[in-house]
Amino acid sequence: MHHASASKSDAGRIIMDIRKIFNNIHPISDEALSLIETSMTFKNVKKGEAVIRQGETTGIILFIIDGIFRIALNSDGKECTLAFGKAGDPFTSVSSLRCDEPSYYSFEAITDAKILTLPITKFREFINTCTEIAQWFIAFLLKQIHVLERRAALYSGYNAAKKYEVFVYNRPEIMRNVPAKYIAQYLDIAPETLCRIQAAYFKKKKASS
């Protein structure tokens, strides 16, 4: 692992973090993990920085060690927030990984963050030569599909107020650290509507406490 941007005191924790990230999705051996670790690079990411950009082919798969990111899409000048990523989440552009095509989305830091990156070319090599890593990647893709299905089930058919309640219950760490405009985009609610809903929600919460 390359620690050009990481202090020595961080190195041991980062190694533990990457092992936890992989094993939380699908357990792999220390031998397989050591292959991955030696090819990784640590990076500090500033708030507002996009590590993967819409319309550009990315060369990395990344793993969030600390901080919060959003998956963003700009369509005809309209900005959308499709999902959030937090510590423990991997991310890449599947179109870049699979077909060497530009990413459909941007992956942008909402807070200052720390990530580990792995070159896509190296990751492809590991998938093709290490059965454990290939199995991990299948589990990772299935988890992403599950997340999309769960989101649709959680928010489908609800009005704006109910969507917000469900969001607060299921993603409290995001609600506390993410600007309201991104939450409004994610829930597909007008910003002024979200402002009224938030005020009513916290007034109700305060009255019941």
Side-chain angles (χ1 to χ4, degrees), residues 27-42:
I28 62 176
S29 67
D30 287 347
E31 182 180 0
L33 275 169
S34 67
L35 285 175
I36 294 166
E37 289 169 1
T38 55
S39 300
M40 285 184 153
T41 300
F42 176 86

Side-chain angles (χ1 to χ4, degrees), residues 86-104:
K86 59 183 178 58
D89 290 339
F91 184 77
T92 191
S93 163
V94 175
S95 59
S96 293
L97 174 63
R98 177 69 179 85
C99 307
D100 285 318
E101 293 178 351
S103 175
Y104 293 111

Side-chain angles (χ1 to χ4, degrees), residues 136-154:
W136 178 88
F137 186 52
I138 292 170
F140 165 63
L141 292 176
L142 288 173
K143 182 178 180 182
Q144 298 310 301
I145 294 170
H146 175 245
V147 167
L148 291 173
E149 287 183 343
R150 184 171 182 268
R151 179 189 171 181
L154 280 175

Side-chain angles (χ1 to χ4, degrees), residues 10-176:
D10 284 339
R13 183 184 67 80
I14 290 169
I15 291 172
M16 291 299 293
D17 284 345
I18 197 62
R19 288 174 182 269
K20 184 176 179 181
I21 289 171
F22 271 85
N23 288 324
N24 279 347
I25 293 173
H26 185 78
I28 62 176
S29 67
D30 287 347
E31 182 180 0
L33 275 169
S34 67
L35 285 175
I36 294 166
E37 289 169 1
T38 55
S39 300
M40 285 184 153
T41 300
F42 176 86
K43 177 178 173 62
N44 283 304
V45 183
K46 294 293 186 183
K47 178 181 177 181
E49 180 181 349
V51 291
I52 293 175
R53 293 178 176 84
Q54 179 180 340
E56 297 181 9
T57 302
T58 187
I60 61 168
I61 178 171
L62 64 90
F63 304 83
I64 305 172
I65 300 302
D66 188 38
I68 297 175
F69 287 76
R70 71 185 185 107
I71 299 175
L73 171 67
N74 191 302
S75 179
D76 292 329
K78 180 182 178 182
E79 185 182 57
C80 303
T81 296
L82 304 177
F84 298 102
K86 59 183 178 58
D89 290 339
F91 184 77
T92 191
S93 163
V94 175
S95 59
S96 293
L97 174 63
R98 177 69 179 85
C99 307
D100 285 318
E101 293 178 351
S103 175
Y104 293 111
Y105 312 111
S106 294
F107 200 62
E108 177 187 296
I110 296 176
T111 65
D112 287 345
K114 303 178 189 297
I115 64 172
L116 288 168
T117 67
L118 178 69
I120 277 181
T121 52
K122 206 69 176 173
F123 188 57
R124 288 191 190 122
E125 177 186 319
F126 293 151
I127 291 172
N128 291 330
T129 58
C130 179
T131 301
E132 287 184 67
I133 296 175
Q135 290 174 337
W136 178 88
F137 186 52
I138 292 170
F140 165 63
L141 292 176
L142 288 173
K143 182 178 180 182
Q144 298 310 301
I145 294 170
H146 175 245
V147 167
L148 291 173
E149 287 183 343
R150 184 171 182 268
R151 179 189 171 181
L154 280 175
Y155 298 108
S156 180
Y158 287 150
N159 62 29
K162 183 62 176 179
K163 280 183 181 180
Y164 181 74
E165 287 182 15
V166 171
F167 179 78
V168 171
Y169 179 79
N170 286 278
R171 304 302 300 271
E173 76 290 354
I174 301 296
M175 189 272 290
R176 288 192 298 267

